[in-house]
Amino acid sequence: MSAFASLNEFRNILAAMPGPDDVAQAAAEARNGQLTKPPRALGRLEDLAIWYAGWRGQERPEIRSPQVIVFAGNHGVAARGVSAFPAEVTVQMVANFQTGGAAINQLANTFGARMDVHALDLENPTADFTKGPAMSEAEVVTALLTGWNAVDEHTDLLVTGEMGIGNTTAAAAISAALFGGAAKDWTGRGTGVDDAALEAKAQVVADGLAANADRDPLEVLRCLGGRELAAMAGAIARARSLRIPVILDGFICSATAAVLACAQPGALDHCVAGHVSAEAAHAELLRRISKEPLLSLNMRLGEGSGAALAIGVLKGAVACHSGMATFESAGVSEG
Amino acid sequence: MSAFASLNEFRNILAAMPGPDDVAQAAAEARNGQLTKPPRALGRLEDLAIWYAGWRGQERPEIRSPQVIVFAGNHGVAARGVSAFPAEVTVQMVANFQTGGAAINQLANTFGARMDVHALDLENPTADFTKGPAMSEAEVVTALLTGWNAVDEHTDLLVTGEMGIGNTTAAAAISAALFGGAAKDWTGRGTGVDDAALEAKAQVVADGLAANADRDPLEVLRCLGGRELAAMAGAIARARSLRIPVILDGFICSATAAVLACAQPGALDHCVAGHVSAEAAHAELLRRISKEPLLSLNMRLGEGSGAALAIGVLKGAVACHSGMATFESAGVSEG
């Protein structure tokens, strides 16, 4: 039996999600104060470790089984010339993921993460959202369930990545629909369009907004999103239900996460922003969902690459927290 | 036979250091342009990989054997109350490093780095630099050689860290002596002194500068530095002679690196800044040595911790560069 069969059932699941384990989090905070370092000397690593401990329900957690899931989808709006790459690159890159040749494969290997790839109905692009909704309810629910079911319940840290020619256009439209502002303010160069194509892309976003006005957040996802975005939303929600912390990736992942945040306040409490990308509107989008990025390295690849790189930061934070000696155990004088 | 027996001989070695392998670097740059990603989509990771390839002399290098070396020293100025911790913490923390209980142990483990600890004559603190030079020439040369000889020639990425109660005071004095400005502009809270102690600490720095005026950079290291700082300088120089890239850590490591940069322009071309720390003057110091930090996580622990965390970023960058498929090999259409 499926976890949910409609957007409304998914909405109800979001409303009933668990929070962190306050007892474990308090124990981790107390432990942090006893470790052999000056107070706050590990800076943000301390906050990360305590946050992670709370979600995992353990005073001294470990990160042993990170999972990276890459979802791929095709977009009707790709036919409108919104990308510097042709639409067939989506399926070509799925093959590249499967044979281990993409950036995300190298990063998953580097940080000891399992990697899974889910291609979502690539031969059937979503509808062109400038003409109406990108997906039917059945289509978006199927995509959400793909993401929901893709999360390994034994995972202890999740990264959701994406591939889909045209999907920064979808993410821009979602962001504008959720937070307002002009289409051009949310539209960036994606894989690298020139000035003329950027202007045309912003017009596609504006047309999509006009054709799909006044929707609630999950309807925004259905009408302006894509299958890989919906799948990421499903995976992020499933991770929350399992109390698995999530590292968000760039603009597209953050836009899909923002749908959850707007649908249900606090829905991203188990998430941290892995990085701020070079895609123009990502920094503003992170401000809207109140996430401070861990890394800022001018990346803009997608695939989960920025988030995967941040697995190292999380691993380091948790390793310090759980592995360090205390002042008492090490016989070090406190200040 | 020692590599050098005087500051003058060390100065001559610095002047004759090798540069990167331009042929390998050009080959790496050409390879980068063929990888399955939009141009520049990996942002700074691309620059890091090409830079690393140049220093290693390989088009497709790997990072297999990082080394973290922590040097510890004691400081005469510690008796002036410049730290929130008593001086005996230096030797206590060395024991903690040796038994694996410090933050740097966890981070070295997390990123697969060998870790070595060198305690430099802890029972003999350097002289109080407010009264005259901290070290004799023989003392500073011995410390430089300790660092020089600590680098494993099979290492492919070096992190130098430090422990020494009082050493942010030394680093502040070095920075002011090298770059000018008021003592208080370079003086921060170190392990966490309060306002009154911060003011007194700035006065100690000012007194040290007055007692050791008009020195060339290596003399600044001798007069205002400490043994662990000189050892880091020796190790960074040795890495250069072996074309081993170095990740610089926080304020103290950067101050000692700045000595090399001021003694010999280009002496830090094989170095990248691992992070910008929360120590007040570190960001300014990085600007003075023209290094853009990889991480900014409000850390201020020392030990090499910020640099060790950045090993993950370097590993990710090099793994993408050397492991990714090309457009041609993967059959992916170019934009």
Side-chain angles (χ1 to χ4, degrees), chain A residues 50-215:
Chain A
I50 293 165
W51 165 83
Y52 185 85
W55 283 103
R56 298 306 292 159
Q58 297 172 294
E59 181 189 341
R60 295 174 71 172
E62 293 184 65
I63 298 177
R64 291 175 174 277
S65 308
Q67 183 184 17
V68 173
I69 316 178
V70 182
F71 300 101
N74 272 322
H75 295 259
V77 290
R80 305 282 299 262
V82 293
S83 176
F85 286 78
E88 65 258 29
V89 165
T90 303
V91 70
Q92 292 167 348
M93 282 300 297
V94 166
N96 199 21
F97 298 139
Q98 286 165 339
T99 54
I104 189 62
N105 298 96
Q106 320 316 316
L107 294 168
N109 284 345
T110 298
F111 298 107
R114 160 185 168 172
M115 182 176 142
D116 299 284
V117 185
H118 292 264
L120 290 98
D121 210 4
L122 296 188
E123 62 283 10
N124 289 309
T126 54
D128 179 345
F129 66 44
T130 65
K131 309 277 172 46
M135 292 178 277
S136 67
E137 172 142 345
E139 287 174 323
V140 73
V141 168
T142 297
L144 283 163
L145 280 169
T146 298
W148 181 276
N149 292 323
V151 178
D152 180 342
E153 64 182 23
H154 301 297
T155 289
D156 50 26
L157 183 61
L158 180 68
V159 164
T160 61
E162 44 56 45
M163 174 71 218
I165 296 301
N167 68 9
T168 55
T169 305
I174 288 172
S175 301
L178 294 176
F179 300 115
K184 71 173 171 41
D185 295 339
W186 294 103
T187 306
R189 292 181 190 274
T191 51
V193 295
D194 63 20
D195 288 351
L198 180 63
E199 199 169 317
K201 182 176 174 181
Q203 187 59 51
V204 169
V205 172
D207 291 349
L209 291 166
N212 296 280
D214 297 325
R215 307 286 180 159

Side-chain angles (χ1 to χ4, degrees), chain B residues 54-80:
Chain B
W55 283 103
R56 298 307 292 160
Q58 297 172 296
E59 182 189 340
R60 294 174 71 171
E62 294 183 66
I63 299 177
R64 289 176 176 278
S65 309
Q67 184 184 17
V68 173
I69 316 178
V70 182
F71 300 101
N74 271 322
H75 294 260
V77 290
R80 306 283 298 263

Side-chain angles (χ1 to χ4, degrees), chain A residues 36-45 84-86 88-89 92-93 96 100-104 106-107 110-111 191-192 293-301 303 305 309 312-313 315-317 319-320 323-325 327 330-335, chain B residues 36-45 84-86 88-89 92-93 96 100-104 106-107 110-111 191-192 293-301 303 305 309 312-313 315-317 319-320 323-325 327 330-335:
Chain A
T36 46
K37 57 173 185 52
R40 298 294 310 156
L42 282 172
R44 207 161 161 205
L45 298 196
F85 286 78
E88 65 258 29
V89 165
Q92 292 167 348
M93 282 300 297
N96 199 21
I104 189 62
Q106 320 316 316
L107 294 168
T110 298
F111 298 107
T191 51
L294 291 171
L295 301 171
S296 177
L297 294 166
N298 218 27
M299 297 168 71
R300 51 173 179 77
L301 178 60
E303 303 180 1
S305 55
L309 195 62
V313 177
K315 277 194 161 184
C320 285
M324 283 176 71
F327 282 106
V332 174
S333 306
E334 291 198 56
Chain B
T36 47
K37 58 173 184 53
R40 298 295 309 156
L42 282 172
R44 208 163 160 205
L45 298 196
F85 286 78
E88 66 258 29
V89 166
Q92 292 166 347
M93 281 301 296
N96 199 21
I104 189 62
Q106 321 316 317
L107 293 169
T110 298
F111 298 106
T191 50
L294 291 172
L295 301 172
S296 178
L297 294 166
N298 218 27
M299 297 168 70
R300 53 173 178 76
L301 178 61
E303 304 180 1
S305 55
L309 195 62
V313 177
K315 278 194 160 184
C320 286
M324 282 175 72
F327 282 106
V332 174
S333 306
E334 291 197 55

Side-chain angles (χ1 to χ4, degrees), chain B residues 19-22 24-26 28 49-58 61 243:
Chain B
D21 179 333
D22 293 335
Q25 188 160 327
I50 293 165
W51 164 84
Y52 185 85
W55 283 103
R56 298 307 292 160
Q58 297 172 296
R243 281 184 168 158

Side-chain angles (χ1 to χ4, degrees), chain B residues 82 168-169 171-173 175-176 182-190 193 197-206 209 251 279-281:
Chain B
V82 292
T168 55
T169 306
S175 301
K184 71 173 171 43
D185 295 339
W186 294 103
T187 305
R189 292 181 190 273
V193 296
L198 180 63
E199 200 169 317
K201 182 176 173 180
Q203 187 59 52
V204 169
V205 172
L209 291 166
F251 184 58
E279 179 70 2

